[in-house]
Amino acid sequence: MDTTTRPSGRVVRVVPDVGAIDREFDYVVPSTWEDDGRAERVAVGSMVRVVLAGRRVAGWITGVDVDPPPGVELAPLAKLSGVGPDAELQELAGWAAWRWAGRRVAFLRMASPPRMVTAIPRRSNPTPAPTGPGAAFDGAFDIGVAVLRAGPADDPTSLVLAACRRGDALVVVPDQAAARRLAVGVRRAGVTVALAPDDWATAAGGATVIGARSAAWMPMPELAAVVVIDEHDEALKDERTPAWHARDVALERARRRGVPSVLVSATPSLEALRAGRLLRPDRSTERASWPLVDVVDRRDDDPARAGPFSERLTDHLRGDGRVVCVLNRKGRSRLLACASCGELVRSDDGRTPMVLQVDVLTTPDGGESRPVVCAHCGSTTLKNLRMGVTRAAEELAALVGEPVDEVTGDAAGAPRSRVVIGTEAVLHRVATASVVAFLDLDQELLAPRQRATEQALALVARGARLLGPRRDGGRLVLQTRQPDHEVVRAALHGDPSIVAVAERDRRRGAGIPPYGAEALVSGAAADEFIARLGRPAGLSVRGPVDGRWLVRAGEHGPLLDALAATERPPGRLRVEVDPLRT
């Protein structure tokens, strides 16, 4: 069309819901929409359908009454679908795309309602949250960003009500079950609550929002305070690409609105401690909020003969109370040796330990198998140096003389037996216990990960939550060959700062987040992406190791700018900023 002629009708800008494109296009509002009233509902955030490259796709309006590019004939909007993320959430999506090296479209999807919403309900007069014992928490919201170090089993309801006394609060928790329980308590106090993500329309009309990770993207027109419960929990970080963190999104929303935020944790992460001011109870109160701890020193036990159940542990297995044993190894055996010659049972190339599956030895990936025979001497008698949770469950059942339930991440339902054993998933399937025993804490303390110490303490604190405070009499049993490790001392004294100080000094010296920035690049297109990235000033590139590259910088700005400026090659690519499991 002529470059001086504007199209008849309003022109809007649309981001199509096509991840590989991630750019905006202009469309015309059809004249028929003016006649039937739909044009009045077209606004920034409206969800529409448009024709793109010959097919109809969903999209979001990012601008209205815009100046179209000259010389381009614009297509009309195909459909007005409903209400979507407003301008504030769209700007937040753009920031998140930069912060986690992802596509804006991925975040717009998270900010959209799970089901189409055609209109926002009108809000009734809000009821202020009642005052009461929780009024002591009101001061936490006068700081700006506060980090509240609470006991492992402390109920966060009073704190959330303190946030609600300021107005609509955004409350993020690690899992949906905890969100539902918290929402019930807050509603009983008379507060209007929108449970994320299902109550999207209620949230858009104005309400306190409570939910798991997705709650960070719920609409909140009158946001007054932010609370993140268990901010250290890894469930708050999305494992998919882009691997964003709900805690950081919630903090950014609070910063943009100028409202206070409180991060709550029994074991605050270093990221949280850098973000805000630490608030903690006095030492006697905090120590009393942790359970009694029994440290079982296994340094004198023969590692080839001793099983996972020490003599001291068997004393805790008796009684009527529920016992939860944690062993973070699946299967029957993770390391076998020949009873005759002592050789480890490994694959033909000698690189991979083999495990026992029923009556066959196999590699963990199933690529190689053979009969239960030592390849070195031919003996058929093997000894288990590192048993998995399935074999441990069999031995535990024989030891206690009663049924034992096994719980892993693959299992469904809650266990019913008095004695339960499983991977760390068992700590999420059991509500309360009299004894929680970590059968091999050293596996967590010695894990080859940058954040192993912090993650081990978080796991111990999760176990402590099942036991309640010291006055309840529960026992936290830690079996270890490192009784002087800072994680063991922190649990024994109920003082997480022991780990925080040690981790701060170690990570600061190594430039590990939060005292630096990292991005883990993997996938079939990783080599090409790293080649296009080059070696910008201020960045170091290490790898490849197992097909992965680690890009590091002294701070986030240069790293994220370089990642954003690098064109992505075709093929599968995963870029994870500040990975938790390196």
Side-chain angles (χ1 to χ4, degrees):
M1 84 184 184
D2 187 82
T3 58
T4 61
T5 304
R6 285 181 55 90
S8 59
R10 300 169 64 195
V11 177
V12 297
R13 195 149 287 161
V14 176
V15 172
D17 188 1
V18 181
I21 296 178
D22 203 18
R23 53 173 292 204
E24 298 172 324
F25 299 87
D26 289 348
Y27 289 86
V28 176
V29 177
S31 58
T32 54
W33 290 19
E34 300 285 352
D35 300 332
D36 60 21
R38 278 180 289 177
E40 296 179 2
R41 294 160 45 201
V42 172
V44 172
S46 294
M47 300 180 69
V48 295
R49 295 192 73 84
V50 297
V51 176
L52 182 69
R55 64 190 183 100
R56 282 169 52 125
V57 298
W60 301 269
I61 292 180
T62 60
V64 296
D65 299 324
V66 301
D67 293 326
V72 177
E73 185 173 355
L74 302 183
L77 296 173
K79 181 182 179 182
L80 178 61
S81 302
V83 182
D86 59 17
E88 179 186 19
L89 287 174
Q90 290 185 11
E91 291 177 5
L92 188 69
W95 168 83
W98 171 80
R99 176 62 179 82
W100 287 285
R103 304 284 194 183
R104 179 173 47 158
V105 165
F107 295 103
L108 290 175
R109 289 171 184 164
M110 283 182 281
S112 300
R115 296 174 298 276
M116 282 299 170
V117 174
T118 57
I120 302 300
R122 184 175 296 179
R123 181 180 190 174
S124 59
N125 293 329
T127 302
T131 58
F137 291 110
D138 288 351
F141 294 93
D142 295 329
I143 294 173
V145 180
V147 181
L148 180 60
R149 201 166 76 194
D154 285 359
D155 185 352
T157 304
S158 294
L159 175 67
V160 172
L161 290 176
C164 294
R165 281 192 282 276
R166 291 183 167 256
D168 291 344
L170 169 61
V171 184
V172 183
V173 298
D175 63 86
Q176 197 65 14
R180 285 192 291 267
R181 291 193 298 269
L182 183 58
V184 169
V186 176
R187 281 172 176 156
R188 284 175 179 168
V191 177
T192 301
V193 173
L195 188 62
D198 292 341
D199 297 336
W200 193 96
T202 301
T208 283
V209 171
I210 299 178
R213 195 169 53 227
S214 63
W217 291 97
M218 291 282 279
M220 296 208 63
E222 300 178 20
L223 177 65
V226 166
V227 178
V228 182
I229 308 294
D230 288 344
E231 62 77 25
H232 67 275
D233 198 305
E234 292 184 19
L236 292 176
K237 182 164 185 176
D238 199 334
E239 295 181 354
R240 301 165 298 178
T241 301
W244 60 282
H245 203 298
R247 176 197 60 220
D248 298 338
V249 173
L251 283 175
E252 179 66 12
R253 292 190 74 172
R255 186 192 69 80
R256 291 174 176 232
R257 285 288 192 94
V259 301
S261 53
V262 176
L263 308 179
V264 188
S265 173
T267 60
S269 66
L270 290 182
E271 283 79 2
L273 293 173
R274 287 202 81 190
R277 174 181 159 191
L278 177 64
L279 303 177
R280 60 184 181 182
D282 61 76
R283 282 297 306 126
S284 61
T285 301
E286 184 171 28
R287 185 173 185 179
S289 71
W290 284 71
L292 296 166
V293 178
D294 189 359
V295 179
V296 180
D297 185 353
R298 308 208 72 185
R299 286 178 293 183
D300 294 333
D301 294 349
D302 183 350
R305 296 179 180 274
F309 309 107
S310 64
E311 291 185 10
R312 286 177 60 185
L313 176 60
T314 57
D315 295 336
H316 294 294
L317 299 176
R318 304 185 181 96
D320 299 326
R322 166 156 271 182
V323 178
V324 175
C325 297
V326 183
L327 183 62
N328 246 345
R329 293 192 294 267
K330 290 183 179 182
R332 297 181 59 82
S333 62
R334 307 311 297 176
L335 188 63
L336 295 166
C338 177
S340 298
C341 67
E343 282 289 317
L344 293 177
V345 179
R346 291 174 286 189
S347 57
D348 288 344
D349 60 10
R351 299 176 61 183
T352 306
M354 302 190 78
V355 297
L356 183 63
Q357 297 287 354
V358 189
D359 295 323
V360 177
L361 294 172
T362 180
T363 52
D365 63 2
E368 183 180 327
S369 62
R370 67 169 184 262
V372 186
V373 176
C374 174
H376 187 73
C377 71
S379 172
T380 58
T381 303
L382 306 178
K383 56 185 178 182
N384 203 335
L385 300 184
R386 190 178 299 159
M387 69 175 62
V389 69
T390 300
R391 176 59 181 168
E394 296 170 356
E395 292 199 5
L396 183 57
L399 182 63
V400 299
E402 59 184 280
V404 171
D405 283 343
E406 176 189 345
V407 178
T408 65
D410 302 328
R416 297 182 178 181
S417 63
R418 183 185 72 88
V419 181
V420 185
I421 187 171
T423 61
E424 64 181 270
V426 71
L427 300 177
H428 298 267
R429 303 285 180 84
V430 175
T432 59
S434 297
V435 176
V436 173
F438 287 86
L439 303 183
D440 186 5
L441 185 61
D442 295 330
Q443 179 184 358
E444 311 303 329
L445 302 180
L446 299 174
R449 300 189 297 266
Q450 292 179 353
R451 301 169 182 257
T453 298
E454 188 177 77
Q455 291 163 344
L457 181 60
L459 195 61
V460 169
R462 182 75 194 193
R465 175 170 293 177
L466 274 59
L467 300 167
R470 186 163 303 219
R471 66 175 180 270
D472 290 352
R475 287 276 181 173
L476 181 64
V477 182
L478 307 179
Q479 295 193 150
T480 177
R481 288 181 168 83
Q482 302 179 81
D484 296 325
H485 194 281
E486 54 262 28
V487 170
V488 178
R489 289 189 287 114
L492 189 62
H493 299 292
D495 187 3
S497 64
I498 295 174
V499 167
V501 171
E503 277 291 277
R504 178 200 63 196
D505 295 342
R506 184 181 70 85
R507 287 202 225 167
R508 180 180 287 164
I512 298 173
Y515 305 101
E518 294 180 338
L520 194 63
V521 183
S522 60
D527 291 357
E528 177 62 24
F529 181 83
I530 291 296
R532 295 183 181 187
L533 176 68
R535 297 295 188 273
L539 270 63
S540 66
V541 181
R542 301 179 183 179
V545 177
D546 296 330
R548 305 188 302 174
W549 300 78
L550 185 64
V551 186
R552 306 184 70 181
E555 54 187 20
H556 282 97
L559 173 65
L560 300 177
D561 288 342
L563 294 174
T566 303
E567 183 181 358
R568 300 199 171 204
R572 186 175 60 85
L573 179 70
R574 176 179 173 85
V575 180
E576 183 179 0
V577 177
D578 294 344
L580 298 180
R581 292 274 165 172
T582 50

